[in-house]
Structures are given as C-alpha cells and as structure tokens.
Amino acid sequence: MRKFFAELTKKQKKMLLRIVVSVLLTLLLTVVLNIIPLNEYVSLILFLIPYLVIGYDVLLKAARNIVGGSIFDEKFLMTIATAGAFFTGDYREACAVMIFYQLGELFENIAVGRTRKSIAAIMDIRPDYANVIRDGEEQRVSPDEVFINDIIVIKPGERVPLDGVVLEGISSLNTAALTGEALPVDIVEGDSVISGAININGVIKVRVTSDYSGSTVSKILELVENASDKKARVEGFVSRFAKYYTPVVVILAVLLALVPPLILHSGWGEWIHRALIFLVVSCPCALVVSVPLTFFCGIGCASREGILVKGSNYLELLSKVTTVVFDKTGTLTKGVFEVEAIHPEESKYDLFELAAIAESKSNHPIALSIVRAYGKKGKEPDKSRLGTVEEIAGKGIKAEIDGEDVFVGNGALMELSGARFHECHKTGTILHVSVSGRYLGHIVINDEIKPESSKAVSELARDNIKTVMLTGDKKDRAEEIGKELGINEVYSDLLPQDKVVKVEELIADPASTIAFVGDGINDAPALMRSDVGIAMGALGSDAAVEASDVVLMNDNPLALPLAVVIARRTMRIVKENIVFALAVKVLILVLGAIGVAGMWVAVFGDVGVLIIAVLNALRAFKVKH
Ligand code: ADP
Ligand code: MG
C-alpha cells in the first residue's frame, strides 16, 4: 500500500486528496442535514462546496470544450448530468456522480501509466553510454556519438551500446531483455554482439558495425513504441461505435425527459431524473480505454517473451491464424549444415576448397556452414582467386575462380551449368560442384532439426492450426523432415518465387489466415505476401525485421505457439470487455428508463464498468506457459 502511494505522481496525489475531502464533506453534510433540517437553498449552497472541490476542473473543461464545439464530450455530459441532479434536488447524487467519475479517471490514469512504464522497464534495453577509444584513450560518450568502425570497450555488467564484432576478449552475454532467452550466450573473438544485451563477465573490445540509429536497440524500441499506431480492426470498430453511441444515448435522454411528461401529463422531475441516468451511462469510456489498453498489454506481454508484434492489427490476425507455413532451413532446422561426406569424381581438383572459395562471400546458411567447416581444417578460403560471384536464389552459386566458371549448388544449378551430374545415394542436402561444364562431384551436407521444432508443431496442431513446410531442398530430405515433425503438408524443390506462389495459393482460400515463418534470407517476398509475416531469429537481420509483421527475436520455434496463445488470450479479453461493458450499459439504460435503476446504479455502469474492464485488460500482460 505504501508503495502504491509512493509511485503516484503529484497530480494523482492531489486528485486523491480532492476525492477524500469531497467524500468526507458529502458524508458530513448528509449526516448534519439529517439531524438539523435546513432551508433548501442553504443545503444547495452547502453541497456545492464538495461538488466544486471535486468537479471544478471538469466544469471548466466542459465549458472550454463547448466553445471548441465538441458537445458530446464526456466532461460535458458529466456536467449536464450533475447540474441536472442539482436541479431536481438530488444534491447528494450530484456529488457522488462527480466523485465516482473522478475516481474512475484517476484509476484509469494510474493503470495506463503503470502499464506503459512496465513495458518500458521490460524493454529496458536502452544503453546510457559507450566507452569509445579515441586518441588511444577510453572516453565515455553517448551511444549516438559513436561511429561505424570505432572501437568500444564493454566491461562486465555494462550494456552493449552498439552492434559490433568482438576484436578482443571472451565473455558471456545476457540477452534475456531482447530475446526472452534466459541462458547466457558465450562470445569469443570474431563473434558479433548486439546492442541491448548485458555483458556478464569478461572485458571485451568491439569494433562497431552500425551507428546508434541503425542499431538493434534503436530498431526494437522504435518497433515497440510504434506498435500502438497500427490499430486492430476491433479497435476501429470500438471508436466508430463510440462516435455513434454517445449522441444516440444523449438524444434518447432528451426524448425521455420530454416525451413521457407531455404524453402522460405527469411531473417533469421524475423523467428528467431518468434522463440524467442516461447521460451518466452515455460515456463509452470503458470500451474506449480498455480495448487499446488490452492490446497494449498483449504486445507488452509478447515483447517480454522476445516476440515483437509490430501492431495491434497483427496481434488480432495472429489470433485468427489457421495455417502456419514454415520455411525449412533456419526455421525448423538449425540452418547450420555439417559436412557428412565429400564424393570427388576428379582428383585434379580440390572439391571442398573450390566450394569454400565460391561460397566465401555469401551469407546463405549453406555458404556459412561450408566456410565454417572448411575453416575447421585450419584453412581459410583464398578469396584472391575469386572473381565475379553470382548467387542464384534457390539453386546455388556461380563463381569465377582462377578464371574458370565454378558452379556450387543443387541439381537445378547443374542443369544450368551444363554439367552432367548424378544424384547421391546418401540422404541429405547435396551440393554438386562443376568447373567449366565438367562435373567434379558433390558434398553431402546435413542440417539438424531444432530440438524444439517437433513440440512447436504439435502445439500448433493442438491449437487446430495446420502446418505447411516449404523448401528449396530436395523432395526426399524435405519429406523425411516433414514426417519426423508431423507437418501436415510438405512442398519441396521450390525457388523463392515458387514459395510466394504457394503462399498466394493458400491465401486465396478466404476462410484461412496464413502466417509465414522464415529467417528472411531469400524469403522476404513470402514474408511480405502472407497475412502475418513472422521472421525468426531475426536479431541482426535488417531485411527480415523490415519485411515481417512479427519478429521472433530468438530462433526457438516454440515462440510461435506462444505468440498464438498470447494473441488469442488478448483477443478473448478484448471481447470479454466489449460484451461486458455493452451488456451492463444496455441493462442500466433499460432499468433507468423504467425507473428501476437510480443514479447510483448508473454511476456503477459508468465508473464500475470502467474499473473492471481496465483490471481485466491488465490480465493480458501475464501469460501462463
Ligand atoms: P530453403 O527453402 O531450405 O530455405 P533455399 O531456397 O535458400 O532453401 O535454397 C534451396 C536450395 O538451393 C538449397 O537446398 C541448396 O541446394 C541450393 N542453394 C541455395 N543457396 C545455395 C548456396 N549458397 N550454395 C549452395 N547451394 C545453395
Ligand atoms: Mg531459407
């Protein structure tokens, strides 16, 4: 409780004080007037004191808004409702309505403020400074004063301020705030580090590879901060609804105050009183506040798990996903290929060496793995022998080495090269190599399935989501993996453009919502074309972050079913709030019109519903695994 007060802002404390004072004054007046009945005008003036204490700012704002032309503003409605209550002699009710209105506003203000703060705290990845080496000396500067190729020093406990490559030192990094992954990552010389991670133990020297505005941290923060700009369809519905709801209820209130007394020739007081109830209930604030707040909490909850959702609309779509389309390499598999066998057909050439040189400039997972495997033998590909290189997406590499045309890739590439090749009896991904149209043999490589893939696929199946795998790899390997994981449909031998065509075929079914999950390496078109493009393990890959709607920061496929769970839960809470708020309001309107519900019930319909809806919205912030 003490903590609750300590965290209130000055403004919030002042409002709390005003609420307490006016509650006490109202109670005191009620008791006193019960004992000593006073003249009507005297009690009116006395009740005006707590009323003005609590409501003066509402009255002022309402007046200002009328001048500005917005009459259906809630401040104005509260003013009319309470002024009307004074007019019909319900002084106590007038004070109560104003008190509860302010209490609701205060509560909303605190809840929204704290949620925003805690999301900022969860995404507390903003670095404060960088230790840059200038003129041989270490200087502490702001991260945006560091440039590409500057050398920075990061000490234990410090946050990595900019993306870069380790020049010296070994350490482990805690990337939990970025990826939701609790295990530290070990880094050595040559590894890249991403900004926002925390250096745990060693001192490392890092060469900066991007300036602050282009760094991972800036991009993530920008994403999260802009996420609420992209509205979900249901948010659009709520704000459209609010636009009509208030005027309609106000018109009904006017009719209720005028028509029955004219027809029934009864007294005006009772009907005006009922009309005032309408005015109190006419504010759609429970919806207008709680729906965006729920999305905000849902997005915050996802970020804490290393899932960046670029907008409420994508959270909404994610909750409706019927089919998840996986790209195989790097998504379901590790994307790190081990060399299983080398089958040369000509002794004159070193197959492995040529492949390593040809692949040395590519960042395709196969290329990185070949170069890495070659490096394990203590050698480095001699790039000076390499001329022009052409990467043929979905097929392989065409490179000029020692002036000759070398092709490294799959069967389709061999056909392109004109070399007569043959398949291998081993299963795996086969890299054929040819030189100037002569077939040299092949390298058998294999990519391990990620340990979590199978569970991720079965969790999606449990949630009634169909799984599809697309790959440029050969049929037998693709089907083997598909079977092992329990994927519903497998399509192999696809070029990147074929993947887009497949996604388009799937989207064509109006009953389905398609999510495509890829690593962003040559599948950006499919990411963009799908209903929800999900980039996996996208930390550091700008193209993937750019092209996708949802970014899974670590490369654990289990983040996918988790994202769906969070999205569905968020949507459920949104719907609960809409149904609850509308049902209560309609009920109170009906009961108010027939004279069963009084002003107090109306106040509950307004403030009580708001508070309950906001509390419910906050539940979206927590997820059970
Ligand atoms: P995936 O669909 O599994 O992500 P890609 O579309 O990137 O695969 O590539 C499809 C196939 O093309 C690979 O299985 C491989 O045979 C060949 N290939 C693509 N890029 C390369 C490369 N850089 N070197 C060798 N082969 C490649
Ligand atoms: Mg790929």
Side-chain angles (χ1 to χ4, degrees):
M1 203 58 187
R2 190 180 286 168
K3 193 165 155 259
F4 175 83
F5 284 111
E7 282 178 13
L8 290 181
T9 64
K10 234 194 205 136
K11 248 187 170 162
Q12 290 167 342
K13 277 186 191 149
K14 190 178 151 205
M15 180 52 83
L16 198 60
L17 184 70
R18 280 170 61 192
I19 291 173
V20 171
V21 168
S22 55
V23 166
L24 291 179
L25 279 177
T26 310
L27 286 178
L28 185 74
L29 282 178
T30 311
V31 174
V32 169
L33 289 179
N34 255 335
I35 302 169
I36 347 169
L38 286 175
N39 172 299
E40 193 68 359
Y41 291 105
V42 178
S43 45
L44 168 68
I45 288 168
L46 284 177
F47 268 110
L48 273 176
I49 300 170
Y51 176 74
L52 288 177
V53 166
I54 192 69
Y56 71 89
D57 51 342
V58 176
L59 301 183
L60 282 178
K61 274 227 185 78
R64 218 172 294 149
N65 286 344
I66 297 173
V67 177
S70 56
I71 39 168
F72 292 126
D73 156 80
E74 54 176 338
K75 305 255 177 343
F76 174 70
L77 295 171
M78 284 301 149
T79 305
I80 297 290
T82 50
F86 267 108
F87 180 72
T88 54
D90 304 311
Y91 311 140
R92 229 163 19 121
E93 270 93 336
C95 293
V97 167
M98 209 44 121
I99 289 170
F100 278 107
Y101 172 71
Q102 294 284 39
L103 190 66
E105 291 283 293
L106 175 66
F107 180 81
E108 168 197 328
N109 193 296
I110 295 174
V112 173
R114 289 212 175 149
T115 327
R116 279 185 202 274
K117 229 179 22 210
S118 57
I119 289 181
I122 285 164
M123 296 308 287
D124 178 20
I125 50 176
R126 201 186 295 275
D128 300 323
Y129 60 87
N131 307 312
V132 66
I133 299 189
R134 298 244 162 93
D135 312 320
E137 259 178 67
E138 202 180 298
Q139 293 174 11
R140 183 177 279 212
V141 299
S142 150
D144 53 14
E145 289 165 29
V146 180
F147 305 103
I148 298 183
N149 286 333
D150 274 349
I151 310 291
I152 55 173
V153 177
I154 307 161
K155 295 167 198 165
E158 288 184 337
R159 194 177 294 283
V160 177
L162 298 120
D163 301 351
V165 176
V166 179
L167 291 180
E168 246 180 74
I170 43 174
S171 182
S172 351
L173 296 183
N174 173 352
T175 61
L178 295 166
T179 62
E181 173 62 58
L183 286 182
V185 186
D186 292 331
I187 46 157
V188 297
E189 225 178 279
D191 284 345
S192 37
V193 292
I194 40 175
S195 48
I198 302 215
N199 183 16
I200 305 178
N201 36 36
V203 177
I204 48 175
K205 250 190 199 167
V206 168
R207 185 176 59 79
V208 173
T209 53
S210 81
D211 57 10
Y212 185 64
S213 61
S215 70
T216 306
V217 155
S218 310
K219 287 203 189 120
I220 291 176
L221 288 174
E222 204 181 294
L223 267 181
V224 175
E225 276 158 19
N226 293 337
S228 43
D229 294 351
K230 295 211 184 79
K231 299 276 182 239
R233 206 186 293 182
V234 49
E235 279 178 282
F237 161 76
V238 164
S239 48
R240 265 194 319 268
F241 174 83
K243 232 189 241 153
Y244 293 107
Y245 173 79
T246 307
V248 166
V249 175
V250 171
I251 290 166
L252 287 178
V254 173
L255 292 178
L256 194 65
L258 296 181
V259 176
L262 288 179
I263 295 176
L264 303 173
H265 302 290
S266 62
W268 295 87
E270 171 61 19
W271 292 99
I272 289 179
H273 186 82
R274 291 187 194 182
L276 295 177
I277 293 172
F278 269 50
L279 291 186
V280 173
V281 187
S282 70
C283 169
C285 37
L287 290 180
V288 174
V289 173
S290 79
V291 171
L293 185 67
T294 312
F295 278 111
F296 196 73
C297 290
I299 290 175
C301 172
S303 335
R304 192 168 39 184
E305 303 290 337
I307 302 163
L308 294 188
V309 183
K310 287 194 187 170
S312 311
N313 53 337
Y314 301 121
L315 206 61
E316 187 178 34
L317 281 172
L318 206 50
S319 75
K320 293 186 189 146
V321 161
T322 55
T323 311
V324 172
V325 182
F326 288 97
D327 179 48
K328 184 197 74 167
T329 311
T331 310
L332 291 169
T333 66
K334 289 184 179 165
V336 181
F337 294 79
E338 299 297 335
V339 174
E340 300 247 309
I342 300 176
H343 294 159
E345 314 244 315
E346 279 215 32
S347 52
K348 222 178 103 198
Y349 292 91
D350 184 344
L351 197 67
F352 198 11
E353 184 183 19
L354 284 182
I357 295 174
E359 300 277 18
S360 61
K361 284 191 177 160
S362 162
N363 68 350
H364 192 278
I366 290 183
L368 300 177
S369 305
I370 289 287
V371 173
R372 196 182 51 106
Y374 188 70
K376 270 194 192 149
K377 294 168 72 182
K379 297 190 238 175
E380 221 175 280
D382 181 2
K383 281 190 199 168
S384 67
R385 291 167 61 190
L386 189 63
T388 53
V389 184
E390 191 187 336
E391 190 143 9
I392 301 163
K395 293 184 181 170
I397 298 263
K398 176 187 173 191
E400 197 184 315
I401 300 178
D402 304 330
E404 288 191 278
D405 277 343
V406 176
F407 288 77
V408 183
N410 55 16
L413 187 78
M414 285 301 109
E415 269 155 30
L416 205 72
S417 79
R420 289 188 48 198
F421 74 105
H422 61 86
E423 284 304 341
C424 181
H425 61 280
K426 286 201 157 208
T427 54
T429 302
I430 315 293
L431 285 194
H432 301 283
V433 183
S434 77
V435 165
S436 303
R438 289 217 319 277
Y439 187 53
L440 298 189
H442 48 253
I443 301 174
V444 184
I445 55 176
N446 250 321
D447 186 9
E448 262 179 72
I449 295 177
K450 287 182 192 167
E452 307 90 355
S453 292
S454 160
K455 190 162 179 230
V457 171
S458 63
E459 283 186 11
L460 288 173
R462 181 202 61 198
D463 294 339
N464 289 323
I465 294 174
K466 184 169 107 179
T467 46
V468 176
M469 183 174 95
L470 304 184
T471 180
D473 211 346
K474 286 188 299 142
K475 191 164 181 220
D476 52 351
R477 178 69 183 140
E479 286 185 346
E480 188 185 30
I481 293 178
K483 205 175 256 162
E484 187 172 336
L485 295 179
I487 305 251
N488 299 119
E489 285 172 25
V490 173
Y491 300 94
S492 52
D493 295 300
L494 300 174
L495 295 174
Q497 58 269 34
D498 302 331
K499 294 183 185 172
V500 181
V501 171
K502 216 48 281 144
V503 167
E504 274 170 354
E505 272 173 39
L506 290 165
I507 289 183
D509 175 4
S512 60
T513 305
I514 309 295
F516 179 87
V517 196
D519 56 6
I521 295 174
N522 77 29
D523 48 25
L527 274 177
M528 298 213 268
R529 193 62 194 85
S530 54
D531 295 318
V532 194
I534 305 178
M536 176 172 277
L539 264 188
S541 159
D542 294 353
V545 171
E546 212 50 40
S548 61
D549 309 318
V550 176
V551 179
L552 306 179
M553 307 251 262
N554 63 33
D555 50 16
N556 184 344
L558 282 174
L560 199 68
L562 182 60
V564 172
V565 167
I566 293 174
R568 287 189 180 173
R569 193 177 139 84
T570 306
M571 287 308 292
R572 197 173 62 231
I573 295 176
V574 164
K575 283 179 196 150
E576 278 167 15
N577 276 349
I578 292 178
V579 170
F580 170 69
L582 287 186
V584 173
K585 295 221 167 192
V586 168
L587 186 71
I588 293 174
L589 287 179
V590 171
L591 294 181
I594 58 176
V596 175
M599 199 60 121
W600 291 97
V601 181
V603 168
F604 169 77
D606 187 49
V607 181
V609 169
L610 170 69
I611 292 180
I612 293 171
V614 166
L615 285 177
N616 196 28
L618 295 181
R619 287 196 310 134
F621 205 53
K622 300 207 176 75
V623 71
K624 289 171 226 110
H625 284 265

